[in-house]
Every structure is written in C-alpha cells, then in structure tokens.
Amino acid sequence: MKIIFKLRVISTCLFLSLLLGACGGGGSSSSSSSSSGSSISGTAAVGAPIANAQVTIYDAAGTVVATTTTDENGRYAVAVNSGTAPYIVEVVGGIGDSIGKFYAVSNEAGNVNVNQVSNAIAASISSSGDPTNLIGGSIGSAANLKATESAFMSAFSKVLSAFGVSGSLISGTFSTSIDEVLDMINAIILPDGKIELSSSEGQAMPDIMGTFDTNTSLVTHKINVIEKGVVPPSSTANNIPAPSQGVIATAKTLEPLRAKLEKCFSHTAAERATLSVSGASNNPTWTSIHSDCQNLAIDVSSTEGFKHDSYYWIDNSTLNSKTYTSGCASSGSAMCLGFFGSMLTDSAKNNLKFLKPTHIAPIDTNLWRVQFPMIYADDANTRGQFGDEIGSTFAVVKYDTATQSFMFFGNQRDVQTSIQPSATLAQKAGSSNYRVETGFNVYVRPYNSRSLKRTNVQVYPVKAQVTPVFPSTGMIPVNGVYLANKVTGTPATISGVPSGSSATPLNVCTFMNYEDPSIISSNYKVTTPNASACSGVIRMNYAEYTMVNNKLTASVGAYPPITTALPAWITGWNINGGSIGSGSLITSATAKRGEPYLFTITMSDNSVIKYINRLPTSTLTTEQAALLNYPKFTSDMSAKFADYDGSTSNTLTVTWKSLDTALIFADAIYWNRGEVNSTARISPGATSNTISCPAPATVYASNITLQNSAGDSVRAMDCRDSLNWKSSGSSTPNQGIIQLKARTFDGLFIQSQLRQY
C-alpha cells in the first residue's frame, strides 16, 4: 500500500486507545462473552484495497453490532459494545472497476482482515457454500474455524514463504508483505460453493504475446477446485507455485508507474498536449506534450516498442509516434491517436484517479498482465479501465532493465481477439418466464487501425478458425468453429448494391459470425473495412425457469429457445475425450480458467495470423449459472419493453435494481439488424440509463434498405423503423433485446436480457 499506510494505522490505533483503552492487533480476549468495550479493526484488501467500502459487523445471533467504512487504504476500525462472538465482518465496495462483497469470520474481537482468503474460509464453513448464509446461521466450533484457516494457509504456503509471511492473513497485522501475497493468489468462490485456488505464477501465459508459434508447448494452468464444504488437502500446496520471476510485479513495485499516470492526468487536456492535424491524411502533429506524460511506455524502435491490439502509444516523444502515421479521417479518435494519444487530448479524462492495479499475472520473464482501474472526476465517481479507449480489459507492462522500472509494453498483437465463458439470464418480455444460457463468446475485432495500414492499404480480418488446444477439456469442436464476414442479404434485396456482388456495406453485428466452413472461400470478404467490432456467441446449454418469490424455480418448458440444435456443419465435437452427435448441446462444463484456444485468422491480403487466447474464468454449468446474482430489471421494464418498437419513442429509459456484487457497466438495445450499445460509464450507484435511437443519417449515411423474412422493406440500421422490431404480419414486436452487462471482481462477465421473442 502507500508509504503513509503505517502512519494511518498508528493514528487509528492511537485514536482507539484513547477512546477504548485498547487497539486490536490480533490477540483479544474471550470469544463467547459480551464484547462491551471491545473493538474490531483490520484491512480490507484483495491486493488492491477495498477503499471507501461499507463495513458491517454481525454477532453470533446475526445482529448488526457495528458499522463503519474503510479508508482509501482499506483500513477500518470500530468499537463493538454489544453482542457475542463469533463475529462476521462483511465488506461491500468497489475494487478496481468492479464491485465486490467479501466476508471474514473471527472467534474474537481484535484484528480481522478481510480478503479473498477470508472469504473462501467463510464459504468453506457455510453449509450452502455461500458466506452470506453464515449471518444468523451456524458457524461451527472455534476449533473448526481455526483448522479451516490453517488448511487454507497451508495451501498457499509456498507463496507465503516467498514473501516472508509466517502469520495469518486474517488475524495478522497487515503489512506490505501480506499485501504482496494477496496480489499473487486467487481464491474464487464458484456459484455452487466450490472454490478455485491458484496463484498468478500458476497462470503464467507467455503464449498470449504476439503471433503464436505452433511449435511452442502450451501448459495447463494450475487450478485447484475444492468441493463445497471441504478444506484444501495438504497436497494443494504443491500445485500453487510461488513467483519465479526475477522482478515481481505487485502493487508496490508498480506504484511508480501508477503515480506517473495519475500525475499526467492531474493536468488539464490543454496542458497535457497540444495537437494539430496536418495534411490530407489527417496525420497527428504534436506541438507540445507535458513532461509528466512522457516516458510511460517502451517505444524505442519500430520493432521493439509498444503495440497493443495494433494500437501504438502515440505521444510524439517516441519513434513509433513519428514513424506510423494514421492516415484516417477521424483525427481525434483512438484510431488516429493510438492507445494513449487520444486520452491526452480528452477533457473527460481530466483529474483521472488511477487506483491500485489488480489481476496481476506473469506472462513471461519481465512481462506482466495487469489491470489499471480508473475513477473519473465526475459527480458519480464512475469507474473505468486503462484500456477502455480501445476496448481492452488489460494492459501489459514490462520491466525495463535499462531504467530499472516498469513501463507499458502492450501485447504486440495486430488484431484484438478474445474468448470468454458466457452466462446469460434471459427473460421473455411481458412474462415471468426465464432461461439461463451458457456458452462461449468469441470476439474478433474486424478492423484495427495503425499497424494494419500498410502503405495506406487497409488490412483487416476476413475469417477466423478457433480450435481447442486441449481437445479433452476444450469445449468447442475439435475441428474448430469459424467466424467470417457475413453477407446479410442477397444483392437483389440490398438497395444500392450492384447485382451479382458478393459484398455488403452493412456495418452490423453479423459482420463476424459463425459460418459453415464449406462455403468460406479464400476471397470470402466484404469491402467495408470500417465495420463494427462484433462477436459470435455459441450456446452450449440452457435451462428454463419461472420466477417465484424473487427466486428462479426450475420449470421445463417455461421458455424454450426457438431451436436447440446446433448447425449441421458443427461436427467433431469432443468433450472429456468422448464425442457427441452433431446438433447436440454440451451439458457439462469442463474448461477451467486459463484453458487455451488457437485463433487462426486470415487477413484481407491473404496473410495469416495465429493467436492463443485463454479463458479468463472457468466455464459454468447451467445449474451453477442459475445461482449467479444477475442484474435485475425493474418489474415495469418487462411489460414496457414487450411493446417497444422504436417508433413510439426515440428513447428508452432502462431501469434496474441496485446490485452490490457486480458493477453494471453497459446497457444496449438490439433490433433485427442493428444495435445501440451504451457503455455510458455507468456509475456504481446508478439504477437507470436512457438510450436514444440514433437518427437514420447517423447510423448509416445511405440508410440501406433490406427485405426482412416477411418480405417487408426495412431500413436496416434504423432503430425507429417499427418493421425492424416486427414484421407486417406480426401483431407484437418479436425481434428485439434489451441487455444489461455486468462484471464481478473475479472477472466473470454476466448479462441479463429482456427478449421480445
């Protein structure tokens, strides 16, 4: 934590000693008598501090005996003048760009740290596997709690030893060493109470950098799954390795880089940089850049410099800034100004606060994957991620031996791609019928700017094959699935497209979608390189429910999908070493966090790029997914959206219930052939957001018309065209979706949808 941490602790303890005559340090008195005159204090941190969070302390009966908030370093201290032990400490607050809820259980007052390990211990002793159910419930004996904590400490013994930590992560006095240990370990509670234990070293991923060499040997991540109610066996420690890197990236060692970022953005946009645009190609020219905003990235040559998903750093103080010109029309965008330049000139970034880094994991020697969360200086203190500018959820830092400091380096890729487990709670609008769907969301950004512009010729992906590296655990067909530039209509039905043309100029989310490989030829591509980034979601399983007393209740037939069959061309599906027939759904979930998948991408100039992407979270069964705490729409939204067709109102105000276990960061409206996606930097406390249907001239200059399935002529990209929501033969809308997307601290992306069909 910050250097001033010890001073803050001393001040807090001095205050409590004056007030109470004691300061909790880990060794208090009786665990069963009245706690009158006692205090509980500690630090809430998961590596990054859980700052300004709500702290609630419950006694053995489940009665609230104290409340307080943590400071900016996650420290809290409060007097407890009633109730009896054991105590449950609940912490709810922001961690990075997400929201989390964590627990700790203690047999006595004194020092009680709250972190991912204390949370896992609480889950382990809960009969349901949910720490929340310990409040007012059975915690078990003091000896059982002590034995459970000992088993978890033993599991992480190698990491603890590497940082010189010998005491408890819960009752021990918080230190820089404990802070670094928490940066390096993972303890994740799955929805059904199972627990995943691992270390960042056990999730090293050198294969995610740049183009993948197929001769490289890939390794399985070391993920330990502990069954509900079972403590980690002694053998677990052998599968949770300590860091082996020469220089270890932690919040402490990354602090100089974080401080530099914050200092840069403490200046106004006008002070950070002065930008002008020169020439017909709109190449950016900087006339000044603040010294506080320089020397943040490694960019010393065209071959050894910052590049992240094709974006260069761009601050005109580096060679790449001067060598790679943009040649694009939107001179103020990230496409022209790169990963960093567009942030420099954006006044909305004034006074950005950069939080302690999270999700730190090694890539290779001196290379680390890390998230740098941000808080905007607006009235709502909305949260974001350093990387949002180009749609990336992480950054890559490199320890530069020349300067002996960490600097941004990027993933050295030319195309942005990803694969992640998908968990969706879908509700049939106007009803109480639900469906939980699980699967994979595969993402290929069709067009990236800078490095793909070879002599001003736009080069972009036209098709991608995704295959599992380990077929026995991978959850897609052995022969892979294909995504391709998708033609969305026959030339005869597309206004303005020459007859016989195989191209479509539509900038829609079917641009990259799953396709039958037999019809994908080497020239299967469109001629619109400015298409939107899109993805394909493949459903592997589903289950149907009704909502009874605000709880999902299994109900077969309540809300079946239109089709449950996979396309006939998806063959060779292999799961756990066995195959299933074409058209069947996958009902088991075997792929764990770190599962590798190979992306083979054909570019528009017929070059081929190969990338490895790894799952950021483990896959879930539908039974597990049904237990997730999804964002929930307000009750009136269901009926309101059932009749919405864009023509009745040019705006739709989306309302939802507050959620304290995840952060809702985006909402969207989808219709037959388009979408309005609003990230809107939704604040942690927000419960509504208004989405506007764009004017036809805004969504597409010529507003191309297509024929829908009923033969109606529709303005394809126009949200205000009611026939995009229903055909002329339908009495009610049956084409639209409204969506809320959220993320948890564990990295799980969850979404709720209201569907008209």
Side-chain angles (χ1 to χ4, degrees), residues 177-432:
S177 296
I178 289 180
D179 190 23
E180 291 180 310
V181 165
L182 295 176
D183 279 328
M184 295 293 103
I185 61 178
N186 297 289
I188 298 169
I189 304 171
L190 299 177
D192 58 358
K194 295 178 182 177
I195 300 172
E196 285 186 353
L197 301 181
S198 60
S199 67
S200 60
E201 182 66 27
Q203 299 180 53
M205 50 184 84
D207 43 73
I208 70 165
M209 294 296 292
T211 302
F212 177 66
D213 180 359
T214 53
N215 293 321
T216 302
S217 297
L218 282 87
V219 297
T220 303
H221 280 187
K222 293 177 169 56
I223 306 294
N224 304 268
V225 179
I226 311 302
E227 294 296 319
K228 182 178 73 174
V230 177
V231 300
S234 58
S235 59
T236 305
N238 295 325
N239 205 41
I240 302 182
S244 61
Q245 306 296 315
V247 179
I248 300 173
T250 65
K252 176 184 176 182
T253 57
L254 290 169
E255 173 58 20
L257 185 57
R258 186 210 65 81
K260 284 182 181 179
L261 281 172
E262 191 159 292
K263 189 173 183 180
C264 170
F265 288 93
S266 68
H267 305 289
T268 65
E271 294 169 334
R272 293 195 296 268
T274 302
L275 171 70
S276 61
V277 177
S278 63
S281 60
N282 288 312
N283 292 328
T285 300
W286 307 90
T287 55
S288 68
I289 182 168
H290 201 288
S291 59
D292 289 341
C293 301
Q294 297 185 31
N295 301 317
L296 290 165
I298 295 175
D299 203 347
V300 295
S301 73
S302 59
T303 57
E304 174 68 12
F306 181 95
K307 181 170 64 176
H308 195 90
D309 293 338
S310 91
Y311 290 92
Y312 289 104
W313 190 253
I314 311 303
D315 61 5
N316 209 47
S317 65
T318 58
L319 183 59
N320 278 335
S321 296
K322 300 171 183 177
T323 301
Y324 290 87
T325 54
S326 61
C328 56
S330 182
S331 59
S333 70
M335 287 291 187
C336 288
L337 302 182
F339 189 98
F340 190 61
S342 55
M343 294 183 68
L344 288 178
T345 56
D346 186 355
S347 59
K349 308 295 194 301
N350 291 352
N351 294 312
L352 274 179
K353 182 177 181 181
F354 287 84
L355 305 179
K356 298 287 187 181
T358 62
H359 298 84
I360 304 169
I363 295 175
D364 207 342
T365 303
N366 291 343
L367 282 173
W368 294 77
R369 186 183 188 275
V370 63
Q371 291 183 350
F372 276 91
M374 310 178 302
I375 294 184
Y376 288 81
D378 56 23
D379 292 338
N381 289 322
T382 52
R383 294 172 181 260
Q385 188 71 243
F386 187 61
D388 285 346
E389 206 77 3
I390 66 163
S392 180
T393 59
F394 69 95
V396 174
V397 297
K398 182 176 183 178
Y399 183 75
D400 181 35
T401 55
T403 61
Q404 295 189 335
S405 63
F406 281 101
M407 302 178 77
F408 290 103
F409 185 61
N411 61 10
Q412 302 300 300
R413 291 187 171 192
D414 285 327
V415 179
Q416 189 175 23
T417 61
S418 65
I419 183 170
Q420 65 181 17
S422 174
T424 302
L425 178 65
Q427 179 184 1
K428 176 66 181 297
S431 78
S432 60

Side-chain angles (χ1 to χ4, degrees), residues 434 543-548 551-559 623 626:
Y434 291 77
E544 299 160 273
Y545 300 85
T546 56
M547 188 70 74
V548 179
K551 183 179 180 181
L552 288 176
T553 302
S555 179
V556 177
Y559 186 22
E623 292 78 11

Side-chain angles (χ1 to χ4, degrees), residues 625-662:
L627 297 171
L628 291 170
N629 191 8
Y630 291 93
K632 290 184 172 61
F633 295 96
T634 55
S635 56
D636 62 317
M637 277 305 304
S638 177
K640 182 163 61 172
F641 188 66
D643 297 324
Y644 184 78
D645 67 5
S647 64
T648 57
S649 174
N650 293 335
T651 63
L652 180 66
T653 299
V654 185
T655 55
W656 58 84
K657 299 177 182 178
S658 61
L659 183 66
D660 61 6
T661 57

